Amino acid sequence: MKIKIIAFGSITAIMGKEICLHATDIVSMKEALEQLFPELSDRKYAVAVNMKLVGTNVLFGQNDMVALMPPYSGG
């Protein structure tokens, strides 16, 4: 599946603001991103699929939009 990945915060310094790649699920997406951008393997980040935070592996549908967000805190 071709997915659009949007980066936020400090992650944009590593991979830019946006990238498209082929992946079937979150695990394969992370593997592909870490091959393209090895610095990501040392980073913690949250993943949202179609504007919903996910904590488990999710299968992608065609043209899904994924967001990568660095850790954040509220106050």
Side-chain angles (χ1 to χ4, degrees):
M1 299 284 159
K2 184 176 181 181
I3 57 169
K4 179 179 179 180
I5 302 169
I6 299 172
F8 291 92
S10 60
I11 297 173
T12 60
I14 297 171
M15 60 175 272
K17 181 74 177 154
E18 188 177 300
I19 187 173
C20 291
L21 59 81
H22 292 274
T24 57
D25 58 11
I26 290 176
V27 171
S28 64
M29 176 201 70
K30 285 184 174 183
E31 289 172 354
L33 284 172
E34 289 175 9
Q35 285 183 351
L36 291 171
F37 310 102
E39 312 92 280
L40 283 178
S41 62
D42 296 334
R43 297 281 182 125
K44 289 187 179 187
Y45 52 88
V47 177
V49 178
N50 297 325
M51 296 191 279
K52 293 183 182 179
L53 283 174
V54 294
T56 60
N57 195 23
V58 173
L59 292 174
F60 296 132
Q62 188 66 31
N63 298 318
D64 275 353
M65 184 170 49
V66 178
L68 305 181
M69 298 165 288
Y72 55 91
S73 62

